[in-house]
Amino acid sequence: MIDQQIAIPTKDGHTATFITHPERGGPFPVILFYMDAPAIREELRDMARRLATSGYYVMLPNLYYRSGVMELGALPADPNAPERKRMFALMGSLTIPMIMDDTRALLTYAEGQAAANTKIVGAVGYCMSGRYAINAATHFPDRVKAAASVYGTQLATDQEDSPHLAAGKTRAELYFACAETDIYAPTEIIEKVKQGMSAAKNGAKAEVEIYPGTHHGFAFPKRPVYDRDAAERHWERLLALYRRNLV
């Protein structure tokens, strides 16, 4: 495996991006791996590596670069702790248009890399970035063939770029992995996503799956809510999604 961190130029500066891919056999389909709110850390790099070992060129960008932040470190459990308030402020500073601009910059960089095949792209986003992964499919429909949101937030809003409307805007296969108990994506939101997916008239393939007995963050090994069985199921679903579409 080859790991590297590259400062990729964007419209607003440079985003430090962790890239990992197999040493032999490329070019590989590109996977855009969008971070969750606690930011870049070794836990995410290890998840990117796991994806890459299946034959992908995985890009994990720092989405907080506009604020000059890379890693947040350990976060107290107290939601009122200053560290957590800072995290929520950083999360709130991002918008879908910003991240789509960053995505364009990532793909432009990858186009110049012999190991990357930017004609075949997948996306995955966790927590705050579920909506970014889904929007990658609608903003880059000629490239992004599959996108997954894993316990994503803000999945059903009154905006035109709301993820629950995405199935009508792309032919990419979409997958939503949802925790059974999630204050950031309660049952009524998940129902709106299901309705939006089923209402698509363009033949888009989409699945919304609720993981029984889980809480927001279940796929992250370092979280207290980590659920090994559910996490492994999410990996199976994610890799199968890419095997079906990134060919």
Side-chain angles (χ1 to χ4, degrees):
M1 299 297 295
I2 295 176
D3 292 353
Q4 55 188 323
Q5 183 164 295
I6 304 294
I8 294 179
T10 72
K11 190 172 72 173
D12 298 321
H14 290 78
T15 175
T17 301
F18 177 73
I19 297 173
T20 179
H21 59 84
E23 183 178 358
R24 300 178 178 178
F28 306 101
V30 172
I31 302 291
L32 302 166
F33 184 149
Y34 298 98
M35 72 188 204
D36 62 331
I40 302 299
R41 54 197 186 278
E42 195 62 18
E43 182 178 40
L44 293 191
R45 295 185 188 99
D46 284 343
M47 293 171 74
R49 292 182 183 107
R50 180 166 178 176
L51 274 176
T53 60
S54 292
Y56 300 112
Y57 183 98
V58 182
M59 308 183 79
L60 171 63
N62 171 29
L63 302 183
Y64 292 155
Y65 71 92
R66 292 176 178 86
S67 300
V69 174
M70 178 72 175
E71 302 195 24
L72 295 181
L75 294 167
D78 180 3
N80 294 314
E83 295 90 344
R84 283 199 170 269
K85 289 183 177 180
R86 180 188 184 215
M87 179 189 74
F88 284 115
L90 287 166
M91 180 173 63
S93 71
L94 303 179
T95 67
I96 290 172
M98 281 181 181
I99 306 306
M100 293 305 101
D101 282 342
D102 293 345
T103 299
R104 186 172 292 104
L106 293 171
L107 293 174
T108 296
Y109 172 82
E111 284 171 356
Q113 305 307 305
N117 179 359
T118 55
K119 295 179 180 179
I120 305 175
V121 179
V124 61
Y126 294 80
C127 181
M128 71 169 187
S129 288
R131 60 183 182 141
Y132 303 142
I134 299 301
N135 266 271
T138 62
H139 283 73
F140 304 93
D142 57 331
R143 298 194 190 198
V144 178
K145 312 299 182 185
S149 163
V150 185
Y151 36 81
T153 64
Q154 300 186 53
L155 296 180
T157 71
D158 59 2
Q159 302 300 309
E160 290 186 4
D161 54 14
S162 175
H164 83 290
L165 303 175
K169 303 175 183 178
T170 180
R171 291 192 175 276
E173 184 173 352
L174 306 178
Y175 177 68
F176 294 81
C178 306
E180 183 176 35
T181 303
D182 191 340
I183 61 172
Y184 304 108
T187 302
E188 57 268 26
I189 294 296
I190 302 307
E191 287 303 314
K192 286 185 178 181
V193 176
K194 288 181 177 179
Q195 292 168 12
M197 296 303 106
S198 62
K201 305 296 185 182
N202 64 348
K205 295 174 287 185
E207 180 183 4
V208 181
E209 183 174 15
I210 296 175
Y211 285 55
T214 61
H215 296 262
H216 184 87
F218 65 78
F220 293 130
K222 303 298 184 182
R223 296 278 182 90
V225 296
Y226 174 65
D227 184 311
R228 184 185 64 83
D229 291 345
E232 290 304 309
R233 184 183 306 121
H234 124 275
W235 281 115
E236 185 277 327
R237 301 289 196 267
L238 191 60
L239 291 171
L241 173 74
Y242 294 151
R243 283 195 300 269
R244 286 193 299 271
N245 295 282
L246 305 188
V247 293

